[in-house]
Amino acid sequence: MDAQTAVERALPLFRTTEPNDWAALSGGLARAGLPGEMAGDVAALMPIAFGRELLDGMQIEFSPEYAVHTPGGEVRIAGQLADHPVFAAAAALASRMVERQEGGEDFVAVATWSAEFAAVNQALNAGSDVSDLVAGPPVITQASPAAAPVTPSAPAAERRPWWKVW
C-alpha cells in the first residue's frame, strides 16, 4: 500500500476515534487494511502534518526533522519529515483540504491528535506570544526511518531545547 492510499483511508478514522485512544486508532487502521509499520507511521506522522497545516501562517518555528528512540534508550534525529513518504502524503492531503476548504471536521479531528498542536494551544492559553514559539523535532515512537540518520543542523549546545517555547 502506498502512503497516499494509507492517509486517505486513515482520514475518517481520526474523527471516529476518541483523541489519544491509540489502541482504538491502531485497531481501526488495521481494519482499514494498513499494514503494521504503515499504520504506525500514519498514526505518528499524519497528526503532525495536519497540526502544522492548521498552524501555518502563525510564525511558529517548527523543526524540519524528526527523532526516534534508539534501542539504547537515547533519542536521535532520524531524518527530515518532508522526506518521509507518509508525512509527505499527509502534508499534501492537508494542504489540498485547506486549499479547497473541504473536510473541516475530518481535518480538525486529525490535527487535534498532534502533540505539537496541543503544546502550541497550551502555550497560547498560558499567555505566550506566538512569535516566540519554537518546536524541536517531534520524537516519533513508531515511525520507520525516512532515510539514513542525519546530524542535527547545529551543535547541541547551540540548539534550543525542544521543551522551551522561547
Side-chain angles (χ1 to χ4, degrees):
M1 174 179 301
D2 69 351
Q4 181 177 344
T5 302
V7 298
E8 288 171 356
R9 285 188 187 180
L11 183 62
L13 296 172
F14 283 93
R15 184 170 42 87
T16 59
T17 307
E18 188 69 30
N20 297 316
D21 186 349
W22 297 101
L25 181 63
S26 179
L29 293 171
R31 286 188 299 280
L34 277 71
E37 187 174 291
M38 178 71 72
D41 289 352
V42 167
L45 298 168
M46 195 168 165
I48 296 169
F50 276 65
R52 287 182 176 194
E53 184 66 30
L54 186 61
L55 297 169
D56 186 41
M58 293 184 71
Q59 301 175 338
I60 299 169
E61 184 182 328
F62 290 105
S63 173
E65 304 163 329
Y66 71 101
V68 296
H69 291 279
T70 66
E74 296 179 4
V75 175
R76 69 165 174 83
I77 300 298
Q80 300 289 310
L81 280 166
D83 292 341
H84 197 290
V86 171
F87 180 84
L93 177 60
S95 179
R96 281 193 311 274
M97 291 175 76
V98 167
E99 182 180 304
R100 296 177 183 163
Q101 298 180 354
E102 63 185 24
E105 285 184 26
D106 286 342
F107 184 92
V108 172
V110 178
T112 60
W113 282 75
S114 168
E116 286 180 329
F117 178 78
V120 167
N121 193 33
Q122 288 174 350
L124 294 176
N125 286 333
S128 293
D129 187 312
V130 71
S131 63
D132 292 334
L133 299 180
V134 176
V139 179
I140 309 299
T141 57
Q142 295 182 336
S144 58
V150 297
T151 55
S153 54
E158 295 175 23
R159 295 175 63 99
R160 294 180 186 172
W162 66 269
W163 50 268
K164 289 190 177 180
V165 294
W166 61 88

